[in-house]
Amino acid sequence: MTTNARLRALVELADAGSVRGAAQRLVVTESSVSAAVSALAADVGVPLVRRNGRGVLLTPAGERYAGYARRILGLHDEAMAAARGEADPERGLLRLAAVTMAGEHVVPALLASFHKRHPNVTLQLEVDHRARVWPLLAQHEVDLVLAGRPPDDLADGIRAVSANSLVVVGSPRSADGFSPADATWLMREAGSGTRATCEALLAALEADPPTLVLGSPGAVIAAAEAGLGVTLASRQAVARQLEGGELVELPMPGTPLHRPWHAVSHRHATASTDMFVKHLLTHPELGWTAPPAAR
């Protein structure tokens, strides 16, 4: 078994939490996963897993090594994509990740526009909340992230920005006598940047209103339309509902909040990544511009 296969076995074991789960993900036998992890442990010279009842857990050394394994695998995939893309960017691979709000309401139009002009570039997209997508870039598991402002250690990779405002919305009947402290607030899942921002706004008002947690932007917006409560949302995401009158913008101290979208890559990006960024910046109808420092 190659070193890459052993590293992937350890990463899948860390993610799945069991040998059986890792084997199912990799479509191999459980004994193959156990052998791969044992071989890695022998190379490293310290135990990477330990018994936990009928299952196994990673040791602290195993957790640390798994973090490096993710970066090694991500860099290997990135290197292969970079080499192939350098030879022919029009047939390269572009691995994208986006926070949920952008993934549902911003990215589809971007991909459709790019794919129309570059149909042979292979596109991969992973959509998740903020706490998940930035580590994907840091570990080189994706080439470009579309999200809000990046963590400081990734900020030098900002390639393009697009205007985005967060506003409070609810059904038309919720506007009558709206009070932030008394309304039911529809919240995103834990880890969502929008949820954290909403909680900060309410805390600034010293308000502790009732909340209802839903699992996606689409569910939150649909619940707001149905009159279940009010929510903080990207104006882009609710543009159709605002125009049609299904939702109305509600007055809230501190809003609208200007939270532009950012397209972020590593400094040394693949040719296909550079081509995508160039597409964003050379098609004004998409609404993206170079970051201020680059203008």
Side-chain angles (χ1 to χ4, degrees):
M1 183 175 287
T2 66
T3 299
N4 267 15
R6 292 173 178 174
L7 293 174
R8 202 166 296 280
L10 180 66
V11 168
E12 293 296 347
L13 177 59
D15 289 344
S18 70
V19 173
R20 175 176 294 181
Q24 290 174 342
R25 292 185 179 204
L26 293 168
V27 195
V28 299
T29 63
E30 293 179 35
S31 59
S32 295
V33 172
S34 297
V37 175
S38 295
L40 275 181
D43 287 342
V44 177
V46 296
L48 301 179
V49 298
R50 62 179 177 82
R51 288 288 179 187
N52 180 46
R54 294 185 177 180
V56 296
L57 289 176
L58 268 65
T59 63
E63 293 283 358
R64 177 61 63 90
Y65 192 80
Y68 282 94
R70 292 180 196 280
R71 293 196 288 277
I72 292 167
L73 291 169
L75 274 169
H76 181 258
D77 290 343
E78 182 181 310
M80 292 179 64
R84 292 167 181 167
E86 195 67 32
D88 186 0
E90 291 290 350
R91 295 184 180 277
L93 167 67
L94 178 59
R95 304 171 303 164
L96 296 161
V99 292
T100 313
M101 187 74 75
E104 292 186 1
H105 299 283
V106 178
V107 176
L110 304 183
L111 295 186
S113 175
F114 181 76
H115 181 68
K116 181 178 180 180
R117 294 164 178 81
H118 307 282
N120 294 315
V121 174
T122 299
L123 300 172
Q124 295 178 356
L125 174 64
E126 183 158 348
V127 177
D128 213 324
H129 55 72
R130 174 184 176 86
R132 172 63 180 150
V133 298
W134 291 121
L136 290 176
L137 184 64
Q139 294 160 4
H140 295 267
E141 295 181 78
V142 298
D143 304 307
L144 188 80
V145 165
L146 297 161
R149 184 159 188 84
D152 290 344
D153 59 336
L154 295 172
D156 63 350
I158 298 173
R159 308 288 302 280
V161 295
S162 178
N164 176 49
S165 295
L166 297 178
V167 294
V168 176
V169 297
S171 66
R173 62 180 177 273
S174 68
D176 185 22
F178 169 68
S179 167
D182 298 323
T184 296
W185 284 82
L186 307 171
M187 295 289 193
R188 290 274 308 281
E189 74 285 358
S192 160
T194 304
R195 173 173 171 168
T197 300
C198 186
E199 290 174 337
L201 282 172
L202 292 171
L205 296 177
E206 298 183 348
D208 186 23
T211 61
L212 177 61
V213 178
L214 296 102
S216 73
V220 168
I221 292 169
E225 287 185 68
L228 287 176
V230 303
T231 193
L232 184 71
S234 164
R235 187 177 274 138
Q236 287 175 295
V238 295
R240 178 183 59 79
Q241 291 88 346
L242 289 173
E243 184 176 350
E246 293 88 4
L247 292 174
V248 295
E249 189 171 335
L250 301 171
M252 171 81 170
T255 65
L257 281 166
H258 301 293
R259 294 290 188 270
W261 298 119
H262 295 74
V264 186
S265 74
H266 288 289
R267 182 177 293 275
H268 301 291
T270 66
S272 296
T273 304
D274 288 338
M275 191 163 63
F276 182 79
V277 172
K278 181 179 179 180
H279 182 84
L280 294 182
L281 297 178
T282 55
H283 290 80
E285 71 278 8
L286 297 178
W288 290 78
T289 60
R295 295 177 189 169

